[in-house]
Amino acid sequence: MKLSRFMRRRLSISLPSRHVVILISLMAFFSFYMGLFTHLFEKDYHTEFSYPLDMDVLPLVQQLQMNGKIDELDVQPINVFNYSYLKSCRHKCPEGSTPRLVFVIKSAIPHFERRQAIRQTWGYEKRFSDVDIRRVFLLGRSPSSPDQEMAIDREDALHGDIVQADFIDAYNNNTLKTMSGLKWIVEHCPSAQFVVFADDDMYLSAKNVLRFVRQPSIYPDDGEDESPILKREHRERSLKQQPGDNLSDNLETKRLYAGYVFHSPPLRHRSSKWYVSLAEYPYHLWPPYVTAGAYVLSRQALLDLHYGSGYTKYFRFDDVFLGLVARKARIEPVHCSQFYFWKKPYSSTSSYRHVIASHGYDQPDELRRVWFEQKSLGNA
Ligand SMILES: *[C@@H]1O[C@H](CO)[C@@H](O)[C@H](O)[C@H]1NC(C)=O
Ligand SMILES: *[C@@H]1O[C@H](CO)[C@@H](O)[C@H](O)[C@H]1NC(C)=O
Ligand SMILES: *[C@@H]1O[C@H](CO)[C@@H](O)[C@H](O)[C@H]1NC(C)=O
């Protein structure tokens, strides 16, 4: 009411200034809508950052890893994944196994075809005779479609690769899904050396992941300058773990949290799917985080992120949430441009030679075509 009285008074004045007023009003509305004012009230990420729990969580994380007893802790966790597992794949990593790589794939209940294509391509567990790879799919529940739930039961009986927890399977619950995956690894596959979290609409190359984790900072140095024979040897050699390749000694991969790293501001644009209010997150930047489509964690990074997540206030975007936990646990994300968060054009067969992951493969037939072609070229 106040505004319209104000407008009426303003509009009764002479013509040119009336236009000016309308223009200014429009600009003000536009700025509000685009979140420009919100930006003015943001806090400085570099100097003012703090996020609950506001304390040094690393000692707590270490305490938990030493004995794991919650009731003996000085500080109780504030964010615990406490939904039960309806399917827990408890035989995926039997006692004594030490998988080199475990794929933890965030899927959705109706994506039966995508899961099938992944089992046949990059998620194939027997891809290499001498590298131990495992795969599980993460799901929530769909109480409104009992038929699909029954189909999931059959799928799990057939493939034994479904990890399902008791929360609603919805986009909004993505952080819960990620937390269900971290907890599952810690409880059921703690000896895994590297874990790749991926979405079910990704192309992935297990071969390039294995090359990458050997020495992330120089990937994709593929011995380009060497003779063809040496080059081939170099590429084959780099797949396997070498003697003297002591993971706990290797500083570079000890706490590896790697993928495509973003240093970006929160979106304050009100119509955005990713709109975030100041009350929810007040700083002008996110902590550096790896985009969610695909990322690699070493065992130690995974343990620290899992236990650290208990001391980090829940955040609904799963990749930002992990970035927040990583910052609290003082893990530096490692950037590699061969994790494509968009769809890397398949312009020629050689364009995917170094690709570790690419988004945009929600069509199972296309995934099969591209992956089998890359496999035949030694790139997948
Ligand atoms: C599970 O965790 C949530 C959030 O941390 C908490 O509000 C709830 O009380 C917990 N439930 C149980 C059964 O512990
Ligand atoms: C999950 O998402 C749904 C729909 O967005 C929501 O209703 C529900 O409360 C969320 N949480 C859990 C634990 O299922
Ligand atoms: C790897 O290094 C750790 C710490 O230095 C040591 O305790 C362990 O015995 C080593 N393992 C192997 C296989 O050399």
Side-chain angles (χ1 to χ4, degrees):
M1 281 303 106
K2 250 186 201 139
L3 186 68
S4 64
R5 226 178 16 245
F6 168 81
M7 293 287 269
R8 265 204 307 276
R9 191 150 42 95
R10 286 321 205 133
L11 294 180
S12 63
I13 50 187
S14 65
L15 204 61
S17 64
R18 190 164 81 192
H19 280 151
V20 169
V21 168
I22 291 174
L23 191 68
I24 289 174
S25 310
L26 277 175
M27 278 169 61
F29 176 74
F30 187 70
S31 309
F32 171 75
Y33 187 73
M34 296 300 285
L36 295 184
F37 291 148
T38 314
H39 286 299
L40 291 179
F41 295 104
E42 285 174 333
K43 292 188 184 170
D44 189 314
Y45 170 79
H46 301 294
T47 57
E48 296 176 272
F49 183 85
S50 84
Y51 189 84
L53 267 179
D54 196 6
M55 59 188 305
D56 186 1
V57 307
L58 211 47
L60 298 169
V61 164
Q62 280 153 1
Q63 201 178 2
L64 268 176
Q65 287 180 41
M66 297 293 277
N67 62 22
K69 287 208 189 66
I70 291 268
D71 46 335
E72 288 171 11
L73 291 170
D74 308 334
V75 183
Q76 291 299 307
I78 55 165
N79 176 35
V80 176
F81 183 83
N82 55 15
Y83 300 92
S84 54
Y85 289 91
L86 305 168
K87 297 193 180 12
S88 65
C89 255
R90 63 182 72 253
H91 303 298
K92 183 53 84 177
C93 303
E95 196 83 19
S97 62
T98 52
R100 180 74 169 152
L101 200 60
V102 178
F103 286 116
V104 174
I105 304 144
K106 285 182 290 168
S107 190
I109 306 243
H111 296 169
F112 297 95
E113 294 295 320
R114 292 193 201 174
R115 288 192 288 278
Q116 199 49 28
I118 290 170
R119 289 184 184 108
Q120 294 161 348
T121 57
W122 54 267
Y124 183 49
E125 295 186 334
K126 300 192 169 62
R127 169 74 187 84
F128 307 103
S129 57
D130 53 355
V131 186
D132 187 353
I133 294 181
R134 313 284 163 108
R135 154 201 86 228
V136 291
F137 294 97
L138 298 177
L139 295 177
R141 278 183 63 226
S142 175
S144 58
S145 35
D147 290 356
Q148 292 196 343
E149 289 277 0
M150 275 165 64
I152 295 290
D153 290 346
R154 287 194 297 273
E155 187 180 344
D156 187 47
L158 199 57
H159 300 287
D161 59 3
I162 304 286
V163 171
Q164 187 181 32
D166 193 7
F167 59 86
I168 309 287
D169 199 302
Y171 179 77
N172 277 341
N173 296 339
N174 244 336
T175 299
L176 285 181
K177 199 172 272 179
T178 297
M179 288 179 76
S180 80
L182 292 172
K183 183 173 176 183
W184 183 84
I185 290 278
V186 169
E187 290 190 344
H188 294 290
C189 205
S191 54
Q193 295 185 326
F194 293 97
V195 178
V196 172
F197 275 77
D199 290 348
D200 67 1
D201 57 354
M202 301 291 289
Y203 163 91
L204 250 118
S205 161
K207 212 167 192 180
N208 287 346
V209 171
L210 294 168
R211 289 175 179 138
F212 173 72
V213 298
R214 290 259 307 135
Q215 231 178 330
S217 60
I218 60 163
Y219 186 83
D221 170 26
D222 56 352
E224 205 61 61
D225 303 332
E226 297 168 4
S227 72
I229 294 167
L230 272 179
K231 195 187 287 182
R232 192 184 173 87
E233 234 172 54
H234 184 118
R235 300 184 75 189
E236 297 309 320
R237 191 178 63 222
S238 62
L239 274 190
K240 282 175 242 155
Q241 206 181 352
Q242 303 296 308
D245 199 23
N246 191 339
L247 201 65
S248 36
D249 280 345
N250 187 340
L251 283 183
E252 193 184 349
T253 52
K254 188 164 186 215
R255 295 214 300 163
L256 184 70
Y257 162 47
Y260 197 100
V261 176
F262 267 34
H263 298 263
S264 60
L267 291 180
R268 306 297 190 186
H269 181 314
R270 266 160 216 275
S271 68
S272 167
K273 180 179 170 189
W274 292 288
Y275 168 74
V276 173
S277 71
L278 285 175
E280 193 176 8
Y281 185 85
Y283 306 101
H284 82 293
L285 285 176
W286 295 123
Y289 67 91
V290 180
T291 57
Y295 52 92
V296 186
L297 301 174
S298 65
R299 174 170 43 208
Q300 193 57 52
L302 187 138
L303 288 169
D304 291 353
L305 289 174
H306 169 68
Y307 291 114
S309 71
Y311 295 102
T312 308
K313 190 178 135 197
Y314 187 87
F315 196 85
R316 61 197 160 104
F317 303 154
D318 57 339
D319 44 11
V320 168
F321 176 70
L322 272 196
L324 289 163
V325 181
R327 178 171 161 137
K328 289 179 123 13
R330 286 185 240 130
I331 298 175
E332 195 79 34
V334 171
H335 176 71
C336 174
S337 59
Q338 296 299 328
F339 292 79
Y340 291 88
F341 68 89
W342 68 96
K343 186 174 188 173
K344 161 125 172 147
Y346 196 63
S347 48
S348 70
T349 53
S350 62
S351 63
Y352 266 48
R353 181 155 163 219
H354 299 307
V355 171
I356 295 174
S358 173
H359 185 238
Y361 285 85
D362 53 358
Q363 300 300 316
D365 288 339
E366 186 185 16
L367 173 62
R368 285 191 193 91
R369 184 169 50 74
V370 169
W371 188 84
F372 277 105
E373 191 161 72
Q374 288 305 311
K375 174 177 177 268
S376 71
L377 295 168
N379 302 332

